Each structure stands twice: as C-alpha cells, then as structure tokens.
C-alpha cells in the first residue's frame, strides 16, 4: 500500500529562503508527492476553496510546510485553514471529508534547539507552539504526525542544509511507501528522530 502526499507550501519570502528552497527541490524528486505552492497560486490571498477541497480528497497525507514566523505559521497558510476547512465539510456534523487522513507539519526556526527547551529562552519545544494545529487535525478527525523540524537555520552551512534536505527526501519516500510504522512514529516528538526501519 502507498500513500499519496500533498505538500501545501507557504513561504512569504521564498526569494530569500535557504532552507525551504532546498527542501522543496528535494521533495519534488519524490514520486507520489505533489507540491502546491500557496504563495505562487494565491499572491493576493484569493484562495479557490472548491479547488483546494477537491484536491485534498485525492491525498492520504497532507503536509503544511513553512518557516516559523513569530512562533506561528505564515498568514496565507492561516487563511487557507480558515477558508478551506469549512464547517460541515472538514468538521462538525457530517464534516468527515478529511477523516483518517494524516496531517504533518514541516517547519524551520531561526532559534536553535536549545532555546526551545524548558530551561531555554522560549521555554518549550517548538512543537508545543504548534499545538493548535494538532488540535485542528483532531477536530477534523485526522491523525497528526510528529513534525519534521530544522532548528537554528541562520547557523547552518550549505552542506548541512543539503543533508537536511536529503533526510527530508528519504522520509518522504518512506511515508509514500508506507515503510514507517505510524503507531510507533506517533510516540516521537519529531519525525527527525525516526530511525530508518523497514516494516516487516
Ligand atoms: C518575520 C519573521 C519572523 C520570524 N519569527 C521567528 C520565530 O518566532 N522563531 C524563530 O525561531 N525564528 C523566527 N524567524 C526565523 C525564520 O524561521 C527562519 O529564518 C526560517 O525558518 C529560515 O528558512 P528559509 O531559509 O527557508 O527562509 C523569523 C523570521 C522572519 C523573517
């Protein structure tokens, strides 16, 4: 069995990007993965709700990929959530269209990992800042998978970024090929901690 993956990509400053440019380039190599660049499609935020909903139905795993801005997601992705995940479609009575699909976030932060700890400046793991999205998935009866994260982006050398992008491509391959045990995965904080292991 294989999973079809839709990456909803939201980067307001792609021309200045180092991390996501590299990640997206690698993601486009993976068969079974479709990249949908939201800022390219909707530069004036006029989201085509019908198109987005129809597209979602075709995929098993939805990825929200974005840089972290002010401890949160970029505004176009928030707009996408507000417009596309409608009552009666995504949630609420008879709102079952996303039921049993997976949701995963892929994000990067300027802050290094140690500032996103209990004793660090930001007091908690970055994943905890994204908790509302975990709950959104639950409301839509989706399963939230541990995020793929890249911390300390400003300090990364080009070859380190390329290595992260290779890791991302490998994980996408494994997700497409159902080579990851989703139950085991759910106990992890980040999917980066996944040890490549082929399901028996
Ligand atoms: C407007 C803005 C807000 C940001 N807010 C945060 C933040 O809250 N926490 C953080 O760790 N990094 C923050 N950053 C750093 C970005 O997350 C980082 O530059 C980005 O993930 C790098 O990816 P890229 O090379 O693809 O742009 C911010 C950057 C910008 C431009």
């Amino acid at each position: 069995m294989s999973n079809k993956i839709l990456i909803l990509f939201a980067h307001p400053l792609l021309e200045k990007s180092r991390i996501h440019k590299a990640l997206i380039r690698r993601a486009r190599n993976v068969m079974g993965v479709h990249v949908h660049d939201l800022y390219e499609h909707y530069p004036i935020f006029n989201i085509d709700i019908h198109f987005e909903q129809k597209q979602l139905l075709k995929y098993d795993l939805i990825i929200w990929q974005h840089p972290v801005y002010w401890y949160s997601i970029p505004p176009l992705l928030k707009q996408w959530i507000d417009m596309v995940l409608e009552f009666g479609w995504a949630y609420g009575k008879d709102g079952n269209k996303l039921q049993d699909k997976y949701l995963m976030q892929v994000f990067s932060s300027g802050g290094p990992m140690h500032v996103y700890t209990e004793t660090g400046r930001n007091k908690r793991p970055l994943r905890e800042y994204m908790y509302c999205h975990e709950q959104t998935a639950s409301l839509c009866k989706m399963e939230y998978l541990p995020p793929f994260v890249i911390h300390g982006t400003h300090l990364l050398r080009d070859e380190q970024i390329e290595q992260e992008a290779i890791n991302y491509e490998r994980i996408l391959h494994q997700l497409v090929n159902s080579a990851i045990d989703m139950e085991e995965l759910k106990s992890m904080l980040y999917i980066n901690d996944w040890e490549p292991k082929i399901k028996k």
Side-chain angles (χ1 to χ4, degrees):
M1 219 187 72
S2 67
N3 289 311
K4 287 172 77 181
I5 300 181
L6 173 64
I7 299 180
L8 297 171
F9 176 49
H11 199 310
L13 290 170
L14 190 56
E15 64 284 2
K16 293 190 179 163
S17 162
R18 294 173 69 220
I19 308 298
H20 289 274
K21 249 187 209 160
L23 294 187
I24 283 295
R25 203 180 304 121
R26 288 275 171 181
R28 289 191 202 273
N29 290 340
V30 183
M31 213 149 60
V33 172
H34 176 64
V35 177
H36 182 44
D37 184 338
L38 293 179
Y39 276 91
E40 187 182 75
H41 276 78
Y42 305 118
I44 55 164
F45 282 48
N46 55 339
I47 293 175
D48 182 340
I49 298 171
H50 181 65
F51 170 82
E52 293 297 322
Q53 290 181 340
K54 229 171 81 188
Q55 175 166 252
L56 285 172
L57 298 178
K58 294 192 236 157
Y59 293 90
D60 308 295
L61 165 54
I62 315 302
I63 292 180
W64 293 344
Q65 182 179 330
H66 59 89
V68 170
Y69 279 7
W70 291 107
Y71 305 101
S72 188
I73 58 175
L76 182 54
L77 183 54
K78 178 63 166 61
Q79 176 82 347
W80 183 95
I81 295 168
D82 294 350
M83 296 297 115
V84 178
L85 303 185
E86 286 181 319
F87 176 80
W89 190 87
Y91 72 101
K93 195 171 175 300
D94 302 325
N96 297 325
K97 293 288 194 282
L98 300 175
Q99 188 162 358
D100 299 330
K101 294 182 187 293
Y102 293 102
L103 179 68
M104 190 175 123
Q105 282 179 271
V106 172
F107 46 71
S108 59
S109 69
M113 190 166 223
H114 68 84
V115 305
Y116 286 102
T117 57
E118 228 171 89
T119 50
R121 191 177 63 220
N122 292 327
K123 300 191 175 63
R124 47 180 56 83
L126 186 51
R127 175 171 169 176
E128 287 189 20
Y129 286 93
M130 300 292 157
Y131 183 70
C132 57
H133 307 304
E134 206 158 327
Q135 190 52 34
T136 296
S138 169
L139 187 71
C140 297
K141 306 170 199 84
M142 300 174 84
E143 302 227 41
Y144 187 87
L145 297 179
F148 181 87
V149 64
I150 300 180
H151 284 295
T153 56
H154 306 308
L155 303 172
L156 292 179
R157 296 189 305 275
D158 288 348
E159 56 276 20
Q160 290 173 302
I161 294 173
E162 200 46 39
Q163 188 53 56
E164 294 286 4
I166 290 168
N167 293 345
Y168 183 40
E169 183 178 342
R170 176 176 51 81
I171 284 173
L172 287 173
H173 262 297
Q174 290 174 328
L175 287 167
V176 166
N177 295 320
S178 303
I180 294 182
D181 185 324
M182 298 301 206
E183 286 311 307
E184 201 178 332
L185 187 60
K186 278 189 233 157
S187 65
M188 288 167 192
L189 185 60
Y190 294 113
I191 198 169
N192 308 60
D193 302 330
W194 175 258
E195 288 295 321
K197 222 185 285 177
I198 303 299
K199 249 195 330 191
K200 294 205 176 78

